[in-house]
Amino acid sequence: MENIKYEIRNEIEKIIKEQKIDRQQFHEVSKFKYEDVIQKLYYSFFNYQKYPKIQFRYLWVRLRDSLNSTSPFHTSWDDWEEYIDYLDYLISVKNPFTFYYLLVDEGWVYEGTLSEIKKVLYEYPDWMEDFYLFSKKYEWLIIHCEDGACMIKVC
């Protein structure tokens, strides 16, 4: 299991190098900060009273009932780039210098601008599961659910 955890991180690192992602615009969150980011995300959007332990598998099933959500946007997996481009529609702030958090399998947390995050997600392997993109102010959360082949935004 430990190998799988690092395999995911290694895959993101490979994408960063192959796509020449600007590390000032997209990078892993500091090991001193990522746990705080995950906890704040969890307590902002998930039903921590019913599910007090943070687990990354099927995290999306633990959302609070009181949240508002968009209708699911589906992918056929053939339209992956178009699917990822839908993030432009879901994120209302169009400032190219705004940074967001990206949480991927096994709890790896990255931060970056939307354009660099999308470059990484365009290459996101199909064997990787869900991802969570969210505002650094924890105002909203976009969830990609691999099982349902869809994404939603909650706030």
Side-chain angles (χ1 to χ4, degrees):
M1 190 68 163
E2 193 67 22
N3 288 343
I4 291 173
K5 180 177 181 176
Y6 285 98
E7 186 175 342
I8 291 160
R9 182 177 181 251
N10 293 341
E11 189 65 31
I12 296 284
E13 185 63 27
K14 181 179 157 191
I15 292 169
I16 290 169
K17 289 176 183 173
E18 287 176 356
Q19 298 303 312
K20 297 177 177 52
I21 304 292
D22 180 347
R23 289 184 188 271
Q24 297 296 316
Q25 302 299 310
F26 181 86
H27 52 271
E28 193 174 328
V29 169
S30 158
K31 65 182 177 182
F32 302 109
K33 187 177 173 186
Y34 81 93
E35 286 182 356
D36 290 338
V37 171
I38 291 170
Q39 283 188 348
K40 192 157 184 185
L41 170 71
Y42 196 74
Y43 292 114
S44 295
F45 295 100
F46 299 93
N47 187 342
Y48 55 86
Q49 292 172 328
K50 186 174 179 182
Y51 305 101
K53 184 177 180 199
I54 299 172
Q55 296 176 341
F56 299 110
R57 297 234 183 258
Y58 300 106
L59 187 58
W60 47 269
V61 301
R62 297 181 191 97
L63 286 168
R64 278 196 215 145
D65 293 335
S66 61
L67 295 172
N68 295 317
S69 68
T70 60
S71 296
F73 182 72
H74 294 273
T75 180
S76 65
W77 303 108
D78 298 350
D79 61 350
W80 186 250
E81 284 194 22
E82 180 182 324
Y83 179 75
I84 294 303
D85 284 340
Y86 191 69
L87 292 170
D88 293 326
Y89 174 76
L90 293 175
I91 298 174
S92 57
V93 175
K94 301 300 183 209
N95 183 340
F97 303 108
T98 300
F99 277 69
Y100 304 97
Y101 286 126
L102 176 68
L103 172 70
V104 297
D105 292 356
E106 302 298 330
W108 295 107
V109 182
Y110 296 86
E111 69 181 311
T113 62
L114 184 57
S115 63
E116 297 303 294
I117 289 171
K118 284 172 50 180
K119 287 179 190 176
V120 171
L121 293 177
Y122 288 147
E123 303 301 319
Y124 200 69
D126 18 4
W127 56 266
M128 292 174 77
E129 296 180 2
D130 308 329
F131 67 76
Y132 302 84
L133 178 65
F134 51 104
S135 144
K136 290 185 75 174
K137 293 180 182 178
Y138 303 89
E139 302 160 309
W140 50 261
L141 168 67
I142 297 171
I143 302 166
H144 160 69
C145 171
E146 182 265 338
D147 287 353
C150 67
M151 78 169 82
I152 62 167
K153 179 179 179 180
V154 296
C155 47

